[in-house]
Amino acid sequence: MANTKPLLLADQVTNMKHIPLNFIRPLNDRPNLQNLQSSNDNNESIPIIDLQGLDEDNDASNRSQIIHNIGQACQDYGFFQIVNHGVPEDVVGKMMKVGKAFFDLPESERMKNYSDDPSKTTRLSTSFNVKTEKVANWRDFLRLHCHPLEDYIQEWPTNPPSFREDVGEYSKHMRKLSLKLLEAISESLGLEKDYMEKALGKHGQHMAINYYPPCPEPDLTYGLPAHADPNAITILLQNHVPGLQVLKDGHWVTVKHVPNTFIVNIGDQIQVISNDKYKSVLHRALVNCEKERMSIPTFYCPSPEALVGPAPQLIDQHNDPPKYTNFTYAEYYHKFWNRGLSKETCVDLFKV
Ligand code: OGA
Ligand code: NI
């Protein structure tokens, strides 16, 4: 067989001194690693919210305080970090471990899952969308659809042997947590508790296992460039290596690693449903020359046929008219994958 270049990044990077030219960002769009350091030194990060008491109806005052904090974070940052979220540590530990074990498999074993077609419901790929993008990103990723679990689990990798069990268990906990957060977000907007849940139709849930290998020139490229997430909410688990940055008042804030937390962010669909009261904020992932970084986002989303638009209760034809037209999530999602990650976010295409 001809000696062809590996398709995945992880299989190209050993002993690499310079990144390939197609990874180099234009001069005006490069990470500022100094900025990463100073934001670390300043102890800046996103709000931390303790969810202890959110489930308890008998502690009404604590519950309403948590909902208030969530609403405030959604307005000010579009991002927050949660503690006491109720997901058992061993479930999270097994997820991280099996994700890492997957990326440690030999190339031939991993490649059984490879596809560059974004419409496939289980696939391993690299960068963002290799078919359409001009500049490549320093990332490999495995993407999985997770809900309803029984529709997809048969497509998932069987190696490592515990993959389906560990990831299946994790994804069930993520669904529970997503629903709890969607209720709190609905209430924080003054909507019925189940408003968001109903707005998502039959619900969709995807996850990614992002693998960012060490990079010899991390100041020239991104793991993921600035983008907003197209879904409703994202719940992200990351290993101990920082890299996620969030845009706040025009500058990039680095999210600190806090053990036993998840990072939650508002996606485009909640921005639309809230009629811009909550913002789906730009974020990006930087890489570094020493350590591999892993992140595992769960993307909770409407089902493809769900019709999304601003909540009627949040619009007032005179003072607060609807800012978006109604659309199906299928339409939205198709646009997202085909236009590429960009600072001009996809929601703008659906503005009235
Ligand atoms: C994403 C994302 C950030 C990270 O996958 O959409 O923003 O830290 N990931 O990997
Ligand atoms: Ni994202």
Side-chain angles (χ1 to χ4, degrees):
M1 203 179 94
N3 204 357
T4 50
K5 186 169 157 249
L7 289 169
L8 295 170
L9 182 62
D11 303 312
Q12 302 171 42
V13 297
T14 321
N15 298 325
M16 194 188 269
K17 297 273 187 322
H18 295 287
I19 65 173
L21 293 179
N22 61 316
F23 285 88
I24 301 180
R25 290 268 145 194
L27 265 173
N28 64 357
D29 178 24
R30 290 186 185 171
N32 180 343
L33 298 179
Q34 234 122 21
N35 183 320
L36 182 125
Q37 194 49 47
S38 72
S39 110
N40 260 337
D41 295 347
N42 293 343
N43 232 0
E44 230 181 351
S45 195
I46 54 174
I48 295 189
I49 299 178
D50 187 338
L51 298 189
Q52 188 77 56
L54 185 58
D55 293 333
E56 285 150 42
D57 277 338
N58 53 7
D59 191 355
S61 69
N62 189 25
R63 184 178 151 77
S64 62
Q65 183 62 48
I66 300 168
I67 289 169
H68 173 83
N69 295 346
I70 290 176
Q72 204 66 48
C74 290
Q75 272 178 45
D76 297 347
Y77 284 83
F79 263 84
F80 51 98
Q81 218 157 355
I82 49 175
V83 293
N84 291 320
H85 43 66
V87 184
E89 248 175 77
D90 71 306
V91 172
V92 176
K94 281 183 182 164
M95 176 65 240
M96 246 319 163
K97 199 166 158 208
V98 84
K100 161 99 174 96
F102 176 83
F103 281 96
D104 283 343
L105 290 172
E107 182 185 2
S108 57
E109 201 47 41
R110 271 175 290 134
M111 285 304 286
K112 289 178 182 165
N113 306 283
Y114 187 85
S115 166
D116 60 13
D117 175 4
S119 69
K120 281 202 75 174
T121 48
T122 300
R123 69 184 184 114
L124 173 69
S125 193
T126 189
S127 189
F128 172 69
N129 186 348
V130 289
K131 280 189 167 159
T132 56
E133 67 203 4
K134 295 197 184 72
V135 185
N137 306 301
W138 202 264
R139 169 181 82 141
D140 292 333
F141 64 96
L142 178 65
R143 255 192 103 97
L144 310 166
H145 284 218
C146 316
H147 181 76
L149 189 56
E150 59 279 11
D151 288 358
Y152 298 108
I153 197 163
Q154 310 90 303
E155 302 175 1
W156 291 4
T158 47
N159 193 4
S162 68
F163 188 93
R164 290 182 179 179
E165 190 183 334
D166 294 346
V167 180
E169 190 61 23
Y170 180 80
S171 76
K172 283 189 240 163
H173 281 278
M174 285 302 104
R175 173 170 158 79
K176 238 170 81 186
L177 181 57
S178 302
L179 292 172
K180 191 153 94 171
L181 289 166
L182 286 170
E183 283 183 1
I185 291 169
S186 297
E187 283 188 67
S188 75
L189 284 164
L191 297 168
E192 291 292 312
K193 192 171 172 175
D194 60 359
Y195 187 89
M196 296 290 173
E197 191 182 334
K198 284 190 176 147
L200 304 185
K202 292 202 292 273
H203 295 212
Q205 182 182 342
H206 309 172
M207 72 189 278
I209 307 177
N210 292 321
Y211 179 77
Y212 303 101
C215 174
E217 295 176 299
D219 44 351
L220 302 182
T221 194
Y222 292 112
L224 275 176
H227 68 279
D229 290 349
N231 45 291
I233 53 169
T234 304
I235 304 179
L236 182 124
L237 170 68
Q238 59 173 351
N239 73 351
H240 60 285
V241 181
L244 174 63
Q245 293 193 317
V246 175
L247 193 64
K248 163 74 171 147
D249 302 331
H251 80 277
W252 291 100
V253 173
T254 305
V255 177
K256 284 221 151 51
H257 170 74
V258 182
N260 304 322
T261 60
F262 294 105
I263 298 157
V264 180
N265 68 283
I266 294 299
D268 294 349
Q269 303 313 308
I270 292 206
Q271 175 168 327
V272 169
I273 293 170
S274 77
N275 204 32
D276 275 356
K277 290 177 179 61
Y278 292 169
K279 280 279 179 343
S280 171
V281 167
L282 287 174
H283 54 283
R284 63 187 191 182
L286 306 192
V287 288
N288 72 86
C289 42
E290 279 161 27
K291 295 183 182 138
E292 61 186 17
R293 176 164 184 266
M294 277 186 57
S295 73
I296 305 179
T298 289
F299 303 107
Y300 211 80
C301 38
S303 61
E305 63 283 359
L307 192 64
V308 183
Q313 298 88 322
L314 299 179
I315 46 190
D316 166 341
Q317 287 303 344
H318 296 291
N319 303 315
D320 202 353
K323 299 198 165 63
Y324 300 93
T325 56
N326 292 347
F327 50 82
T328 64
Y329 188 58
E331 218 182 313
Y332 195 93
Y333 201 61
H334 184 77
K335 280 224 164 72
F336 174 80
W337 277 96
N338 287 292
R339 60 195 281 287
L341 294 181
S342 127
K343 287 179 201 162
E344 289 73 42
T345 67
C346 199
V347 274
D348 295 336
L349 304 174
F350 296 85
K351 284 229 150 90
V352 216

